[in-house]
Amino acid sequence: MKKINFQPRFLQILYLIIFSIIFFFVIYIPILVKGPVQLTEKMILKEEAIEGSLLCILFIMSILILNLYKHEIDKHKELINKISTEKMKVEDRLFNSEQYIGITNIQIQEIKYIFNSIDKFPETKDDLKRACNFFGERVIGIVNSNWVLFRIIDSNTQRTLCEHFVTRQEFSCSYPHVSNKMVIEKQPILPFIYVNSNPKNLNILISCIMPIDKISNDQHIFVQAIINEIAKLFVILNALYYKKRNKIFIEDFPDKK
């Protein structure tokens, strides 16, 4: 930020001093100039001409000084306005930074709460349902949606293996109908948006479907982290059932399309 070294107050004092000196000479010129002045043998300046010339010079000097003073004042006013504008911009950036830091801190606390709340792996379908309900409430709070649908899809057959529908408290709506094929092919499904899990080495896809127009990049990352966690819980639950019953857990789910 540019520093002001020459204050308008100083300019005012300087102008008054110079103007006082000029005024002094204007008053005392008739006393100082006595008689004509002979420049050459043929060129003689009369007293009135000398006084008039000096007064004219002093008058021109006063105008020039006044213009210089106004110019400096205008320059400093422009500089002050520029500094005020820069100050407002800095304050806005600082305010936005404080807001972003506050939101980030809240998100960090929310992340800690979410991923520290699951203190054991699911052993039954009800355990997985409770986990999905917990994660669904978190997603609703993050993206400000009225409901969220978690759907686990077999990527090979495009069958729905499991799904869980979560709504806000005291909010009711009809069950959303979303094509598994369009979700797998990542086609737009208006008026909904969805976020898919991103592990490449699984034959299942977990999708989080929401009735909103758009979400921010941070919200997208947050939701994707949640559905990736659901994918891990689902795989672990299948592994436990396979170990105990020697069959894949997904066979217990009804065939949905």
Side-chain angles (χ1 to χ4, degrees):
M1 186 177 290
K2 189 175 179 180
K3 185 178 179 181
I4 302 177
N5 295 320
F6 199 56
Q7 300 296 332
R9 181 66 178 174
F10 175 77
L11 284 174
Q12 293 175 353
I13 296 174
L14 180 62
Y15 175 74
L16 289 175
I17 293 174
I18 295 175
F19 190 81
S20 299
I21 294 172
I22 293 174
F23 185 74
F24 173 81
F25 279 106
V26 168
I27 294 175
Y28 284 93
I29 277 177
I31 300 175
L32 296 175
V33 178
K34 297 181 178 180
V37 176
Q38 184 175 359
L39 301 177
T40 61
E41 293 182 356
K42 296 183 178 181
M43 184 177 294
I44 299 174
L45 294 177
K46 295 183 178 181
E47 179 179 350
E48 293 81 1
I50 296 173
E51 291 177 354
S53 301
L54 290 175
L55 290 174
C56 182
I57 292 172
L58 292 175
F59 178 73
I60 293 173
M61 287 179 60
S62 65
I63 293 176
L64 293 176
I65 292 172
L66 178 61
N67 289 334
L68 177 62
Y69 169 74
K70 289 182 177 179
H71 176 72
E72 290 295 325
I73 290 295
D74 292 339
K75 186 169 68 175
H76 282 81
K77 286 182 178 179
E78 182 180 353
L79 180 58
I80 290 172
N81 291 334
K82 182 179 179 180
I83 292 173
S84 299
T85 303
E86 291 178 356
K87 180 183 177 184
M88 291 178 64
K89 290 180 180 179
V90 171
E91 289 176 348
D92 288 340
R93 287 197 294 267
L94 180 61
F95 178 74
N96 293 333
S97 299
E98 290 176 348
Q99 279 191 324
Y100 180 77
I101 292 172
I103 293 173
T104 302
N105 289 335
I106 294 174
Q107 290 177 342
I108 291 173
Q109 295 299 322
E110 186 72 10
I111 290 171
K112 290 181 180 179
Y113 173 66
I114 290 173
F115 295 105
N116 290 336
S117 296
I118 306 298
D119 54 357
K120 66 176 184 178
F121 295 125
E123 298 178 355
T124 65
K125 290 186 290 184
D126 288 337
D127 291 341
L128 181 61
K129 181 178 179 180
R130 282 191 290 270
C132 288
N133 189 67
F134 170 78
F135 285 130
E137 290 175 353
R138 302 286 79 75
V139 172
I140 287 174
I142 293 167
V143 301
N144 193 26
S145 173
N146 288 324
W147 57 260
V148 60
L149 173 64
F150 293 120
R151 179 173 291 177
I152 304 176
I153 306 170
D154 187 318
S155 301
N156 297 324
T157 64
Q158 298 184 357
R159 288 192 311 159
T160 298
L161 303 177
C162 180
E163 61 183 10
H164 190 67
F165 187 60
V166 184
T167 64
R168 287 187 182 274
Q169 293 183 355
E170 300 179 356
F171 179 83
S172 61
C173 66
S174 58
Y175 196 88
H177 297 282
V178 179
S179 169
N180 289 350
K181 180 180 179 181
M182 297 180 71
V183 170
I184 293 174
E185 294 177 354
K186 298 181 180 180
Q187 299 181 21
I189 307 175
L190 300 178
F192 310 133
I193 64 169
Y194 58 91
V195 178
N196 292 340
S197 57
N198 54 10
K200 305 298 182 183
N201 58 342
L202 295 177
N203 62 349
I204 60 171
L205 176 70
I206 290 84
S207 182
C208 177
I209 304 162
M210 298 159 286
I212 52 179
D213 296 330
K214 61 181 180 179
I215 57 176
S216 66
N217 184 59
D218 290 341
Q219 291 172 333
H220 185 279
I221 295 173
F222 203 17
V223 172
Q224 193 166 68
I226 288 178
I227 58 179
N228 287 342
E229 189 72 12
I230 295 176
K232 294 176 185 177
L233 297 179
F234 184 79
V235 170
I236 292 171
L237 182 57
N238 272 278
L240 291 174
Y241 265 75
Y242 179 77
K243 181 178 180 181
K244 292 179 180 180
R245 299 186 180 184
N246 197 24
K247 64 178 182 179
I248 300 177
F249 175 64
I250 62 176
E251 294 178 356
D252 292 334
F253 289 97
D255 184 7
K256 296 184 179 180
K257 290 185 180 181

